[in-house]
Amino acid sequence: MQRIRLRYTKRGRLRFTSHRDFQRAFERALRRAEVPMAYSAGFTPHPKVSYANAAPTGTGSEAEYLEIQLTAARDPEKLRALLDESLPAGLDVIDAVEARTSGLADRLQASVWEIRLDQVAPAEAERAVAAFLEADTVEVERRTKNGLRTFDTRAAVARLEAFPPPSDRPGDGGCAILRLVVRHLTPAVRPDDVLSGLRATADLAPPVPAAVTRLAQGLLDEESGTVTDPLAPDREAAQAAPTAAAELTAAMAPEGPA
Amino acid sequence: MSVESVFPQLEALLPHVQKPIQYVGGELNSTVKDWNSCDVRWALMYPDAYEVGLPNQGVMILYEVLNEREGVLAERTYSVWPDLEELMRQHNVPQFTVDSHRPVSAFDVFGVSFSTELGYTNLLTALDLAGIPLDAADRTEDHPVVVAGGHAAFNPEPIADFIDCAVIGDGEQAVLDMTEIIRAWKAEGRPGGRDELLFRLARTGSVYVPKFYDVEYLADGRISRVVPNRSGVPWRVSKHTVMDLDEWPYPKQPLVPLAETVHERMSVEIFRGCTRGCRFCQAGMITRPVRERSITGIGEMVDKGLKATGFEEVGLLSLSSADHTEIGDIAKGLADRYEEDKIGLSLPSTRVDAFNIDLANELTRNGRRSGLTFAPEGGSERIRKVINKMVSEEDLIRTVATAYGNGWRQVKLYFMCGLPTETDDDVLQIADMATKVIAKGREVSGKNDIRCTVSIGGFVPKPHTPFQWAPQLSAEETDARLEKLRDKIRGDKKYGRSIGFRYHDGKPGIVEGLLSRGDRRVGAVIRAVYEDGGRFDGWREHFSYDRWMQCAERTLPAFGLDVDWYTTRERTYEEVLPWDHLDSGLDKDWLWEDWQDSLDETEVEDCRWTPCFDCGVCPQMQTEIQIGPTGRKLLPLSVK
Ligand code: SF4
């Protein structure tokens, strides 16, 4: 029994994939790649996959995480390449480690988001960000399954900055980039809630929908407002003590069904 | 000419619509070919929502067949939901293909596959969104050729004004033949414009171009004749028939959508056609003769398809899957092969008389013996003779008893209401059958918690069937009959609670009837409904009977006609039917005799196992029955 943790992306047009859609696509990719999955018991057995904290439909992501359970050991990097190839371009598997520690989900304390605001002047975005950061609380409303609810967005924001776009991507009509670090609290504060907050505090009203991408998830360093790689502890543990499983896999080349 | 993707404009709208993933393409096994290195470009549409259209086998097959060809590309488009339609209109985003998001109007051919007539209003929506004139007569050389296919195209007259041509029968070879004609015409510099191209297609005798045919009417509204109005255009247009399914192992790489769709399985068509001769069944009549895919061909397709898709279920498709001459070996072979892989097997359409419980048991080896479906179609022995569904009550009860005895808990029975010559009594006997099924089930299983669900729909007479002359039962009478049946089932103290009852009211059937047996004049109704906002007529929540009836009342009186004239009116032998010039191979006199036999409650055998009964198809289409057994076995696959 081996557990492998994977980092994957939702890029470009495939950012419109809902989490449910991704789950089905991923389980099929597992079948195509003939990964020796562990299955749940019962009438309709499901492959054992745990997903953590998926990004909302419509937002891109460079940092989604999941963990799979195998019945036979596999080399994480080879498995990653196999799965990456099996998934449609845009759903890319970009990192894999063997799970050596517990609590991946607990390490996903905060997210770094990039928000691209087309047709918004960088100066205007900076002004709005300053107003937002100045406030003690920024209440917004969101429609949830249980009706309209009001909550504070300010407390969840660990860091928020506005930039002009990189010079190689000038947008016509101006464009501002926000970089946002949000703590994962309950209720979850999402990038669009922060945008509502910017509208509430500083009347920032982008004329076109924002393009939102999650850049990272992990442990939050409160001091610097930075987020660290949640797979790092597994990687370190692996370097310190390679498992029998990994050795076995290395000895058993050729690898798997590929 | 370079054609830009409209994705950037579309992308801005997607955050505001339901299930945006359905519009972005990028499905596993989809193909995007280089626009400029292809000279014939097809946009293929299934005129319903993506979740219904994507799994459609017909479109998937043509998409692959065309894309495999050098210099030819095919992309797919589906109906957009009203939320996106509204935004597209506001922001001038045209109907697009999901593959490379090119405007549909930029393609050479716009091929639309109609499984049902209820997609007609969606065709108009798509044309309008694409910026293609609704009337074929208003199109220029720069517009795509709009071609209809699919089962509903066997009577394309109601949409004759909106399409440029129709192809009836199997599409695989037909689209390739059309492609060559279009390629040659383009290479020559488009001589003679659009008309010349349509003429070249029409003169082959296998592409129907409505504008080259004039319909003449009698004073009473019936058709007097349909005549070609141009020399070189044949009087009748024939259907296409593909022989040897093993040569067409499509889809090889079925599309795997990201969005959730209605069927998510690896489907293999195990045979095409059906000769059982059920008189109500248009599919059975127009797809003759029977052509089986070999057991080894099936085995290979399943293997490759599962590898290409990762699906967890295999569907063995056909009009009556248990009728394949080697179905037992196929099912057992596949069940053996995939036992370890947790792959489910299903036979989506099976018939009670052919169904064998061993087969069902084989398909469900890994548990899940939840429900079995049978389709006796008619409640009484008499009405089953009328429709030529030869199954005796005794057989049915015996089969069902075996099912319950083998651990199945739930049996679903399909019926139709409104069949020719039907009386209340025929329908009420459905309740008797259901109670007998439950009684027998309780007896053999020794349990009280078994269930039987009766599912019943209104019968719609269809072109190219023996019932094409029959009067359709009105919506009111259908509903009244169904209510009586419901009351009888509910009123049964002993068994009523074990019987589920599902039915559809008679209203949608009347609209389907109007469209199925309609002629060119019905086009005015379709247009009026579309203009009034009619969309997605196959969806209960979008379908509006009142709108259809109001639009019919506005348009049909101009011709001295009404909806009843098209639906509840019985036709005579002499009447020229709107689809008579479209040749499905069935001999009209044979169909008429079969209609008369039906009224006499005389049955006809299946020509697969008994001598040919001269329906006309094989000699007319130069085809023949192609069945096994081949005697071959499904080989276990070597190491995985
Ligand atoms: S022509 Fe004869 S053999 Fe062919 S489908 Fe008709 S009845 Fe069957």
Side-chain angles (χ1 to χ4, degrees), chain B residues 120-121 124 133-136 138 158-162 515 521-535 548 551 554-555:
Chain B
Y120 291 161
T121 50
L124 299 197
L134 293 191
D135 279 292
D138 297 336
I159 49 168
D161 290 346
F162 315 124
L515 298 174
R521 295 167 293 191
V522 170
V525 187
I526 299 169
R527 187 193 307 253
V529 168
Y530 159 73
E531 283 168 357
D532 195 54
R535 307 281 188 277
W548 276 96
C551 290
R554 281 213 310 272
T555 48

PDB file of all heavy atoms in Angstrom, chain B residues 120-121 124 133-136 138 158-162 515 521-535 548 551 554-555:
ATOM      1  N   TYR B 120     -36.016  20.411 -34.400  1.00  0.00           N
ATOM      2  CA  TYR B 120     -36.141  21.354 -35.520  1.00  0.00           C
ATOM      3  C   TYR B 120     -36.009  22.827 -35.100  1.00  0.00           C
ATOM      4  O   TYR B 120     -35.370  23.617 -35.779  1.00  0.00           O
ATOM      5  CB  TYR B 120     -37.467  21.142 -36.258  1.00  0.00           C
ATOM      6  CG  TYR B 120     -37.532  19.836 -37.034  1.00  0.00           C
ATOM      7  CD1 TYR B 120     -38.759  19.304 -37.431  1.00  0.00           C
ATOM      8  CD2 TYR B 120     -36.373  19.138 -37.369  1.00  0.00           C
ATOM      9  CE1 TYR B 120     -38.825  18.107 -38.145  1.00  0.00           C
ATOM     10  CE2 TYR B 120     -36.439  17.943 -38.074  1.00  0.00           C
ATOM     11  CZ  TYR B 120     -37.667  17.433 -38.465  1.00  0.00           C
ATOM     12  OH  TYR B 120     -37.736  16.261 -39.167  1.00  0.00           O
ATOM     13  N   THR B 121     -36.627  23.177 -33.971  1.00  0.00           N
ATOM     14  CA  THR B 121     -36.513  24.591 -33.579  1.00  0.00           C
ATOM     15  C   THR B 121     -35.065  24.920 -33.208  1.00  0.00           C
ATOM     16  O   THR B 121     -34.605  26.039 -33.423  1.00  0.00           O
ATOM     17  CB  THR B 121     -37.445  24.936 -32.404  1.00  0.00           C
ATOM     18  OG1 THR B 121     -37.261  23.977 -31.366  1.00  0.00           O
ATOM     19  CG2 THR B 121     -38.899  24.934 -32.840  1.00  0.00           C
ATOM     20  N   LEU B 124     -33.163  25.993 -36.199  1.00  0.00           N
ATOM     21  CA  LEU B 124     -33.369  27.392 -36.581  1.00  0.00           C
ATOM     22  C   LEU B 124     -32.565  28.327 -35.671  1.00  0.00           C
ATOM     23  O   LEU B 124     -31.974  29.300 -36.132  1.00  0.00           O
ATOM     24  CB  LEU B 124     -34.860  27.745 -36.556  1.00  0.00           C
ATOM     25  CG  LEU B 124     -35.745  26.949 -37.520  1.00  0.00           C
ATOM     26  CD1 LEU B 124     -37.089  27.641 -37.715  1.00  0.00           C
ATOM     27  CD2 LEU B 124     -35.089  26.784 -38.877  1.00  0.00           C
ATOM     28  N   PRO B 133     -28.801  32.555 -43.302  1.00  0.00           N
ATOM     29  CA  PRO B 133     -30.232  32.818 -43.501  1.00  0.00           C
ATOM     30  C   PRO B 133     -31.072  31.566 -43.239  1.00  0.00           C
ATOM     31  O   PRO B 133     -30.686  30.465 -43.639  1.00  0.00           O
ATOM     32  CB  PRO B 133     -30.323  33.225 -44.975  1.00  0.00           C
ATOM     33  CG  PRO B 133     -28.957  33.724 -45.332  1.00  0.00           C
ATOM     34  CD  PRO B 133     -28.005  32.929 -44.483  1.00  0.00           C
ATOM     35  N   LEU B 134     -32.217  31.742 -42.560  1.00  0.00           N
ATOM     36  CA  LEU B 134     -33.074  30.592 -42.243  1.00  0.00           C
ATOM     37  C   LEU B 134     -33.570  29.927 -43.515  1.00  0.00           C
ATOM     38  O   LEU B 134     -33.653  28.705 -43.596  1.00  0.00           O
ATOM     39  CB  LEU B 134     -34.281  31.041 -41.408  1.00  0.00           C
ATOM     40  CG  LEU B 134     -34.015  31.553 -39.996  1.00  0.00           C
ATOM     41  CD1 LEU B 134     -35.336  31.696 -39.246  1.00  0.00           C
ATOM     42  CD2 LEU B 134     -33.092  30.599 -39.234  1.00  0.00           C
ATOM     43  N   ASP B 135     -33.917  30.744 -44.493  1.00  0.00           N
ATOM     44  CA  ASP B 135     -34.413  30.186 -45.743  1.00  0.00           C
ATOM     45  C   ASP B 135     -33.254  29.812 -46.648  1.00  0.00           C
ATOM     46  O   ASP B 135     -32.427  30.658 -46.989  1.00  0.00           O
ATOM     47  CB  ASP B 135     -35.274  31.228 -46.461  1.00  0.00           C
ATOM     48  CG  ASP B 135     -36.660  31.257 -45.878  1.00  0.00           C
ATOM     49  OD1 ASP B 135     -37.381  30.256 -46.062  1.00  0.00           O
ATOM     50  OD2 ASP B 135     -37.017  32.265 -45.237  1.00  0.00           O
ATOM     51  N   ALA B 136     -33.255  28.544 -47.072  1.00  0.00           N
ATOM     52  CA  ALA B 136     -32.191  28.086 -47.954  1.00  0.00           C
ATOM     53  C   ALA B 136     -32.131  28.971 -49.202  1.00  0.00           C
ATOM     54  O   ALA B 136     -31.052  29.228 -49.733  1.00  0.00           O
ATOM     55  CB  ALA B 136     -32.421  26.626 -48.331  1.00  0.00           C
ATOM     56  N   ASP B 138     -32.367  32.052 -49.507  1.00  0.00           N
ATOM     57  CA  ASP B 138     -31.652  33.322 -49.328  1.00  0.00           C
ATOM     58  C   ASP B 138     -30.142  33.162 -49.186  1.00  0.00           C
ATOM     59  O   ASP B 138     -29.427  34.129 -49.004  1.00  0.00           O
ATOM     60  CB  ASP B 138     -32.154  34.045 -48.067  1.00  0.00           C
ATOM     61  CG  ASP B 138     -33.627  34.408 -48.182  1.00  0.00           C
ATOM     62  OD1 ASP B 138     -34.106  34.521 -49.324  1.00  0.00           O
ATOM     63  OD2 ASP B 138     -34.284  34.556 -47.134  1.00  0.00           O
ATOM     64  N   PRO B 158     -40.894  18.816 -43.488  1.00  0.00           N
ATOM     65  CA  PRO B 158     -41.206  19.979 -42.634  1.00  0.00           C
ATOM     66  C   PRO B 158     -40.066  20.993 -42.533  1.00  0.00           C
ATOM     67  O   PRO B 158     -40.307  22.164 -42.280  1.00  0.00           O
ATOM     68  CB  PRO B 158     -41.506  19.343 -41.275  1.00  0.00           C
ATOM     69  CG  PRO B 158     -41.968  17.960 -41.608  1.00  0.00           C
ATOM     70  CD  PRO B 158     -41.154  17.547 -42.798  1.00  0.00           C
ATOM     71  N   ILE B 159     -38.823  20.544 -42.739  1.00  0.00           N
ATOM     72  CA  ILE B 159     -37.714  21.500 -42.676  1.00  0.00           C
ATOM     73  C   ILE B 159     -37.127  21.764 -44.070  1.00  0.00           C
ATOM     74  O   ILE B 159     -36.015  22.274 -44.205  1.00  0.00           O
ATOM     75  CB  ILE B 159     -36.593  21.049 -41.698  1.00  0.00           C
ATOM     76  CG1 ILE B 159     -36.182  19.597 -41.950  1.00  0.00           C
ATOM     77  CG2 ILE B 159     -37.016  21.250 -40.246  1.00  0.00           C
ATOM     78  CD1 ILE B 159     -34.900  19.178 -41.221  1.00  0.00           C
ATOM     79  N   ALA B 160     -37.899  21.420 -45.102  1.00  0.00           N
ATOM     80  CA  ALA B 160     -37.398  21.555 -46.480  1.00  0.00           C
ATOM     81  C   ALA B 160     -36.962  22.991 -46.805  1.00  0.00           C
ATOM     82  O   ALA B 160     -36.007  23.196 -47.554  1.00  0.00           O
ATOM     83  CB  ALA B 160     -38.451  21.096 -47.478  1.00  0.00           C
ATOM     84  N   ASP B 161     -37.649  23.989 -46.224  1.00  0.00           N
ATOM     85  CA  ASP B 161     -37.276  25.375 -46.516  1.00  0.00           C
ATOM     86  C   ASP B 161     -35.940  25.772 -45.895  1.00  0.00           C
ATOM     87  O   ASP B 161     -35.303  26.711 -46.335  1.00  0.00           O
ATOM     88  CB  ASP B 161     -38.328  26.341 -45.950  1.00  0.00           C
ATOM     89  CG  ASP B 161     -39.633  26.256 -46.734  1.00  0.00           C
ATOM     90  OD1 ASP B 161     -39.625  25.664 -47.838  1.00  0.00           O
ATOM     91  OD2 ASP B 161     -40.655  26.769 -46.233  1.00  0.00           O
ATOM     92  N   PHE B 162     -35.564  25.085 -44.816  1.00  0.00           N
ATOM     93  CA  PHE B 162     -34.416  25.539 -44.013  1.00  0.00           C
ATOM     94  C   PHE B 162     -33.122  24.788 -44.314  1.00  0.00           C
ATOM     95  O   PHE B 162     -32.054  25.202 -43.899  1.00  0.00           O
ATOM     96  CB  PHE B 162     -34.731  25.392 -42.519  1.00  0.00           C
ATOM     97  CG  PHE B 162     -36.112  25.878 -42.147  1.00  0.00           C
ATOM     98  CD1 PHE B 162     -37.021  25.043 -41.504  1.00  0.00           C
ATOM     99  CD2 PHE B 162     -36.501  27.176 -42.462  1.00  0.00           C
ATOM    100  CE1 PHE B 162     -38.294  25.484 -41.183  1.00  0.00           C
ATOM    101  CE2 PHE B 162     -37.782  27.629 -42.141  1.00  0.00           C
ATOM    102  CZ  PHE B 162     -38.682  26.787 -41.500  1.00  0.00           C
ATOM    103  N   LEU B 515     -44.939  16.893 -36.712  1.00  0.00           N
ATOM    104  CA  LEU B 515     -43.642  17.049 -37.368  1.00  0.00           C
ATOM    105  C   LEU B 515     -43.231  15.786 -38.125  1.00  0.00           C
ATOM    106  O   LEU B 515     -42.617  15.855 -39.182  1.00  0.00           O
ATOM    107  CB  LEU B 515     -42.569  17.412 -36.327  1.00  0.00           C
ATOM    108  CG  LEU B 515     -42.796  18.741 -35.593  1.00  0.00           C
ATOM    109  CD1 LEU B 515     -41.761  18.927 -34.499  1.00  0.00           C
ATOM    110  CD2 LEU B 515     -42.756  19.913 -36.572  1.00  0.00           C
ATOM    111  N   ARG B 521     -45.609  22.389 -45.707  1.00  0.00           N
ATOM    112  CA  ARG B 521     -46.404  23.478 -45.137  1.00  0.00           C
ATOM    113  C   ARG B 521     -46.227  23.587 -43.625  1.00  0.00           C
ATOM    114  O   ARG B 521     -46.461  24.637 -43.026  1.00  0.00           O
ATOM    115  CB  ARG B 521     -47.875  23.286 -45.520  1.00  0.00           C
ATOM    116  CG  ARG B 521     -48.081  23.418 -47.039  1.00  0.00           C
ATOM    117  CD  ARG B 521     -49.425  22.927 -47.499  1.00  0.00           C
ATOM    118  NE  ARG B 521     -49.583  21.472 -47.335  1.00  0.00           N
ATOM    119  CZ  ARG B 521     -50.590  20.773 -47.853  1.00  0.00           C
ATOM    120  NH1 ARG B 521     -51.532  21.380 -48.546  1.00  0.00           N
ATOM    121  NH2 ARG B 521     -50.659  19.471 -47.674  1.00  0.00           N
ATOM    122  N   VAL B 522     -45.797  22.487 -43.019  1.00  0.00           N
ATOM    123  CA  VAL B 522     -45.582  22.498 -41.566  1.00  0.00           C
ATOM    124  C   VAL B 522     -44.371  23.373 -41.197  1.00  0.00           C
ATOM    125  O   VAL B 522     -44.233  23.825 -40.058  1.00  0.00           O
ATOM    126  CB  VAL B 522     -45.426  21.044 -41.058  1.00  0.00           C
ATOM    127  CG1 VAL B 522     -44.953  20.987 -39.624  1.00  0.00           C
ATOM    128  CG2 VAL B 522     -46.757  20.303 -41.197  1.00  0.00           C
ATOM    129  N   GLY B 523     -43.530  23.634 -42.197  1.00  0.00           N
ATOM    130  CA  GLY B 523     -42.384  24.525 -41.960  1.00  0.00           C
ATOM    131  C   GLY B 523     -42.813  25.870 -41.403  1.00  0.00           C
ATOM    132  O   GLY B 523     -42.110  26.468 -40.578  1.00  0.00           O
ATOM    133  N   ALA B 524     -43.986  26.340 -41.827  1.00  0.00           N
ATOM    134  CA  ALA B 524     -44.482  27.642 -41.338  1.00  0.00           C
ATOM    135  C   ALA B 524     -44.743  27.586 -39.833  1.00  0.00           C
ATOM    136  O   ALA B 524     -44.534  28.569 -39.121  1.00  0.00           O
ATOM    137  CB  ALA B 524     -45.755  28.030 -42.095  1.00  0.00           C
ATOM    138  N   VAL B 525     -45.197  26.426 -39.351  1.00  0.00           N
ATOM    139  CA  VAL B 525     -45.453  26.280 -37.913  1.00  0.00           C
ATOM    140  C   VAL B 525     -44.125  26.298 -37.156  1.00  0.00           C
ATOM    141  O   VAL B 525     -43.975  26.979 -36.133  1.00  0.00           O
ATOM    142  CB  VAL B 525     -46.206  24.963 -37.604  1.00  0.00           C
ATOM    143  CG1 VAL B 525     -46.613  24.925 -36.133  1.00  0.00           C
ATOM    144  CG2 VAL B 525     -47.409  24.783 -38.515  1.00  0.00           C
ATOM    145  N   ILE B 526     -43.152  25.547 -37.672  1.00  0.00           N
ATOM    146  CA  ILE B 526     -41.847  25.473 -36.998  1.00  0.00           C
ATOM    147  C   ILE B 526     -41.223  26.867 -36.901  1.00  0.00           C
ATOM    148  O   ILE B 526     -40.735  27.278 -35.845  1.00  0.00           O
ATOM    149  CB  ILE B 526     -40.891  24.531 -37.768  1.00  0.00           C
ATOM    150  CG1 ILE B 526     -41.484  23.116 -37.823  1.00  0.00           C
ATOM    151  CG2 ILE B 526     -39.505  24.511 -37.138  1.00  0.00           C
ATOM    152  CD1 ILE B 526     -40.754  22.176 -38.766  1.00  0.00           C
ATOM    153  N   ARG B 527     -41.311  27.603 -38.012  1.00  0.00           N
ATOM    154  CA  ARG B 527     -40.737  28.942 -38.018  1.00  0.00           C
ATOM    155  C   ARG B 527     -41.440  29.846 -36.999  1.00  0.00           C
ATOM    156  O   ARG B 527     -40.793  30.571 -36.241  1.00  0.00           O
ATOM    157  CB  ARG B 527     -40.853  29.552 -39.418  1.00  0.00           C
ATOM    158  CG  ARG B 527     -40.129  30.899 -39.551  1.00  0.00           C
ATOM    159  CD  ARG B 527     -40.542  31.612 -40.831  1.00  0.00           C
ATOM    160  NE  ARG B 527     -40.365  30.746 -41.993  1.00  0.00           N
ATOM    161  CZ  ARG B 527     -39.389  30.911 -42.887  1.00  0.00           C
ATOM    162  NH1 ARG B 527     -38.535  31.876 -42.754  1.00  0.00           N
ATOM    163  NH2 ARG B 527     -39.298  30.090 -43.913  1.00  0.00           N
ATOM    164  N   ALA B 528     -42.775  29.752 -36.966  1.00  0.00           N
ATOM    165  CA  ALA B 528     -43.526  30.596 -36.031  1.00  0.00           C
ATOM    166  C   ALA B 528     -43.163  30.251 -34.585  1.00  0.00           C
ATOM    167  O   ALA B 528     -43.004  31.140 -33.741  1.00  0.00           O
ATOM    168  CB  ALA B 528     -45.029  30.424 -36.268  1.00  0.00           C
ATOM    169  N   VAL B 529     -43.023  28.966 -34.298  1.00  0.00           N
ATOM    170  CA  VAL B 529     -42.676  28.545 -32.932  1.00  0.00           C
ATOM    171  C   VAL B 529     -41.284  29.046 -32.570  1.00  0.00           C
ATOM    172  O   VAL B 529     -41.060  29.581 -31.485  1.00  0.00           O
ATOM    173  CB  VAL B 529     -42.762  27.008 -32.792  1.00  0.00           C
ATOM    174  CG1 VAL B 529     -42.119  26.536 -31.491  1.00  0.00           C
ATOM    175  CG2 VAL B 529     -44.220  26.563 -32.851  1.00  0.00           C
ATOM    176  N   TYR B 530     -40.357  28.907 -33.508  1.00  0.00           N
ATOM    177  CA  TYR B 530     -39.007  29.408 -33.248  1.00  0.00           C
ATOM    178  C   TYR B 530     -39.039  30.912 -32.967  1.00  0.00           C
ATOM    179  O   TYR B 530     -38.446  31.396 -32.004  1.00  0.00           O
ATOM    180  CB  TYR B 530     -38.085  29.095 -34.438  1.00  0.00           C
ATOM    181  CG  TYR B 530     -36.876  29.999 -34.460  1.00  0.00           C
ATOM    182  CD1 TYR B 530     -35.857  29.820 -33.521  1.00  0.00           C
ATOM    183  CD2 TYR B 530     -36.781  31.063 -35.362  1.00  0.00           C
ATOM    184  CE1 TYR B 530     -34.768  30.683 -33.486  1.00  0.00           C
ATOM    185  CE2 TYR B 530     -35.702  31.916 -35.326  1.00  0.00           C
ATOM    186  CZ  TYR B 530     -34.704  31.734 -34.400  1.00  0.00           C
ATOM    187  OH  TYR B 530     -33.650  32.592 -34.360  1.00  0.00           O
ATOM    188  N   GLU B 531     -39.763  31.638 -33.812  1.00  0.00           N
ATOM    189  CA  GLU B 531     -39.801  33.097 -33.648  1.00  0.00           C
ATOM    190  C   GLU B 531     -40.465  33.506 -32.342  1.00  0.00           C
ATOM    191  O   GLU B 531     -40.155  34.529 -31.750  1.00  0.00           O
ATOM    192  CB  GLU B 531     -40.501  33.754 -34.851  1.00  0.00           C
ATOM    193  CG  GLU B 531     -39.569  33.807 -36.054  1.00  0.00           C
ATOM    194  CD  GLU B 531     -40.267  34.166 -37.349  1.00  0.00           C
ATOM    195  OE1 GLU B 531     -41.505  34.321 -37.340  1.00  0.00           O
ATOM    196  OE2 GLU B 531     -39.550  34.272 -38.378  1.00  0.00           O
ATOM    197  N   ASP B 532     -41.359  32.649 -31.882  1.00  0.00           N
ATOM    198  CA  ASP B 532     -42.050  32.927 -30.630  1.00  0.00           C
ATOM    199  C   ASP B 532     -41.191  32.525 -29.416  1.00  0.00           C
ATOM    200  O   ASP B 532     -41.607  32.658 -28.270  1.00  0.00           O
ATOM    201  CB  ASP B 532     -43.369  32.152 -30.622  1.00  0.00           C
ATOM    202  CG  ASP B 532     -44.306  32.661 -29.550  1.00  0.00           C
ATOM    203  OD1 ASP B 532     -44.567  33.865 -29.528  1.00  0.00           O
ATOM    204  OD2 ASP B 532     -44.748  31.838 -28.713  1.00  0.00           O
ATOM    205  N   GLY B 533     -40.002  32.001 -29.662  1.00  0.00           N
ATOM    206  CA  GLY B 533     -39.119  31.659 -28.548  1.00  0.00           C
ATOM    207  C   GLY B 533     -39.009  30.164 -28.283  1.00  0.00           C
ATOM    208  O   GLY B 533     -38.393  29.757 -27.292  1.00  0.00           O
ATOM    209  N   GLY B 534     -39.610  29.334 -29.125  1.00  0.00           N
ATOM    210  CA  GLY B 534     -39.559  27.871 -28.914  1.00  0.00           C
ATOM    211  C   GLY B 534     -38.147  27.337 -29.075  1.00  0.00           C
ATOM    212  O   GLY B 534     -37.479  27.615 -30.068  1.00  0.00           O
ATOM    213  N   ARG B 535     -37.698  26.592 -28.069  1.00  0.00           N
ATOM    214  CA  ARG B 535     -36.362  25.998 -28.072  1.00  0.00           C
ATOM    215  C   ARG B 535     -36.445  24.682 -27.324  1.00  0.00           C
ATOM    216  O   ARG B 535     -37.314  24.503 -26.487  1.00  0.00           O
ATOM    217  CB  ARG B 535     -35.361  26.856 -27.279  1.00  0.00           C
ATOM    218  CG  ARG B 535     -35.263  28.321 -27.658  1.00  0.00           C
ATOM    219  CD  ARG B 535     -34.428  28.489 -28.912  1.00  0.00           C
ATOM    220  NE  ARG B 535     -34.160  29.888 -29.211  1.00  0.00           N
ATOM    221  CZ  ARG B 535     -35.013  30.693 -29.860  1.00  0.00           C
ATOM    222  NH1 ARG B 535     -36.185  30.265 -30.251  1.00  0.00           N
ATOM    223  NH2 ARG B 535     -34.676  31.945 -30.110  1.00  0.00           N
ATOM    224  N   TRP B 548     -47.063  25.694 -29.527  1.00  0.00           N
ATOM    225  CA  TRP B 548     -47.160  24.973 -30.804  1.00  0.00           C
ATOM    226  C   TRP B 548     -48.567  25.070 -31.383  1.00  0.00           C
ATOM    227  O   TRP B 548     -48.738  25.298 -32.581  1.00  0.00           O
ATOM    228  CB  TRP B 548     -46.756  23.501 -30.623  1.00  0.00           C
ATOM    229  CG  TRP B 548     -45.273  23.285 -30.703  1.00  0.00           C
ATOM    230  CD1 TRP B 548     -44.395  23.200 -29.665  1.00  0.00           C
ATOM    231  CD2 TRP B 548     -44.486  23.129 -31.899  1.00  0.00           C
ATOM    232  NE1 TRP B 548     -43.113  23.006 -30.131  1.00  0.00           N
ATOM    233  CE2 TRP B 548     -43.140  22.949 -31.488  1.00  0.00           C
ATOM    234  CE3 TRP B 548     -44.781  23.123 -33.265  1.00  0.00           C
ATOM    235  CZ2 TRP B 548     -42.095  22.770 -32.409  1.00  0.00           C
ATOM    236  CZ3 TRP B 548     -43.740  22.937 -34.177  1.00  0.00           C
ATOM    237  CH2 TRP B 548     -42.417  22.775 -33.741  1.00  0.00           C
ATOM    238  N   CYS B 551     -49.298  28.618 -32.633  1.00  0.00           N
ATOM    239  CA  CYS B 551     -48.588  28.901 -33.883  1.00  0.00           C
ATOM    240  C   CYS B 551     -49.208  28.127 -35.046  1.00  0.00           C
ATOM    241  O   CYS B 551     -49.277  28.635 -36.172  1.00  0.00           O
ATOM    242  CB  CYS B 551     -47.109  28.572 -33.745  1.00  0.00           C
ATOM    243  SG  CYS B 551     -46.262  29.730 -32.661  1.00  0.00           S
ATOM    244  N   ARG B 554     -52.247  29.879 -36.183  1.00  0.00           N
ATOM    245  CA  ARG B 554     -51.939  31.093 -36.942  1.00  0.00           C
ATOM    246  C   ARG B 554     -51.515  30.790 -38.378  1.00  0.00           C
ATOM    247  O   ARG B 554     -51.729  31.587 -39.268  1.00  0.00           O
ATOM    248  CB  ARG B 554     -50.785  31.849 -36.273  1.00  0.00           C
ATOM    249  CG  ARG B 554     -51.162  32.671 -35.071  1.00  0.00           C
ATOM    250  CD  ARG B 554     -50.301  33.936 -34.962  1.00  0.00           C
ATOM    251  NE  ARG B 554     -48.872  33.704 -35.067  1.00  0.00           N
ATOM    252  CZ  ARG B 554     -48.096  33.405 -34.024  1.00  0.00           C
ATOM    253  NH1 ARG B 554     -48.617  33.293 -32.824  1.00  0.00           N
ATOM    254  NH2 ARG B 554     -46.794  33.231 -34.192  1.00  0.00           N
ATOM    255  N   THR B 555     -50.873  29.647 -38.579  1.00  0.00           N
ATOM    256  CA  THR B 555     -50.238  29.409 -39.873  1.00  0.00           C
ATOM    257  C   THR B 555     -50.974  28.405 -40.769  1.00  0.00           C
ATOM    258  O   THR B 555     -51.023  28.593 -41.983  1.00  0.00           O
ATOM    259  CB  THR B 555     -48.800  28.892 -39.668  1.00  0.00           C
ATOM    260  OG1 THR B 555     -48.826  27.843 -38.700  1.00  0.00           O
ATOM    261  CG2 THR B 555     -47.892  29.992 -39.169  1.00  0.00           C
TER     262      THR B 555
END
